[in-house]
Amino acid sequence: KQWYQRRVRGLNNLKTLSMPLMKAHTLRGKPEEELKKMIDELKTEVGSVRLFRVTRGSSSGKLRKIHYLKKSIACIYTVMHQAQKLRQREAYRSKSYVPKDLRPKKTRALRRRLKKSELSVRTEKSIKKNRAFPKRVYALKR
């Protein structure tokens, strides 16, 4: 119990010292140019914090800030990539061929399985055979 209290106390102190993470839902409405500008700003800030850490030592509490800045950059990149995928899906919606990264992943066995329309297809020979020799129906006594 004590280690947990120390951990929670330590996390609470870190949260007060550090900056908040970027939230994906707030970034989704913004245009791509603005997101790129934000990435550039964050990258320059990471560089300045790294320089500060090298010159003044790592005990200044800037390690946590680097962590949050890198996480924010990753979040922005993720939102940009998701938006790009969404645009590609819309573009290929009506096309007959879709790129492999836009197709449903599923499993290898499910991807190779016959479609429902292909399962129901019968050859002419099998149709004639079924007509000539239908499945026998027996009356059973009880």
Side-chain angles (χ1 to χ4, degrees):
K1 189 175 179 180
Q2 288 178 343
W3 66 268
Y4 178 74
Q5 288 173 345
R6 275 194 308 248
R7 181 174 160 79
V8 170
R9 207 177 311 125
L11 288 174
N12 287 341
N13 290 343
L14 284 176
K15 284 181 183 173
T16 56
L17 289 173
S18 59
M19 59 185 291
L21 275 170
M22 297 254 180
K23 300 289 183 184
H25 66 89
T26 58
L27 297 171
R28 283 203 173 90
K30 295 184 180 180
E32 197 167 340
E33 297 82 33
E34 191 176 334
L35 293 175
K36 286 181 181 177
K37 196 183 294 181
M38 287 172 72
I39 285 176
D40 291 337
E41 291 169 6
L42 288 170
K43 281 185 177 181
T44 54
E45 195 172 346
V46 167
S48 65
V49 171
R50 274 196 180 134
L51 183 69
F52 184 85
R53 185 185 70 184
V54 169
T55 55
R56 299 209 174 69
S58 62
S59 62
S60 59
K62 296 286 183 181
L63 288 172
R64 269 294 192 218
K65 191 169 186 184
I66 289 175
H67 173 78
Y68 283 107
L69 288 170
K70 287 169 89 175
K71 289 273 189 182
S72 299
I73 290 170
C75 185
I76 293 171
Y77 273 130
T78 302
V79 168
M80 286 171 59
H81 187 255
Q82 285 174 348
Q84 180 185 5
K85 281 267 196 187
L86 197 72
R87 286 193 302 270
Q88 285 179 342
R89 282 186 203 284
E90 288 298 319
Y92 282 101
R93 189 174 296 269
S94 60
K95 303 278 194 307
S96 58
Y97 293 106
V98 180
K100 285 193 173 180
D101 61 329
L102 298 179
R103 293 178 194 169
K105 178 86 167 109
K106 298 185 180 177
T107 62
R108 192 166 186 261
L110 286 176
R111 289 194 304 266
R112 278 151 181 73
R113 192 168 61 180
L114 290 175
K115 293 167 183 60
K116 286 183 179 174
S117 59
E118 294 169 342
L119 279 169
S120 63
V121 172
R122 299 280 175 248
T123 61
E124 196 174 324
K125 184 177 181 179
S126 68
I127 292 169
K128 284 180 182 176
K129 194 167 85 174
N130 286 340
R131 275 197 207 124
F133 306 103
K135 202 169 203 174
R136 293 181 181 181
V137 180
Y138 296 100
L140 299 173
K141 285 188 209 176
R142 286 198 173 213

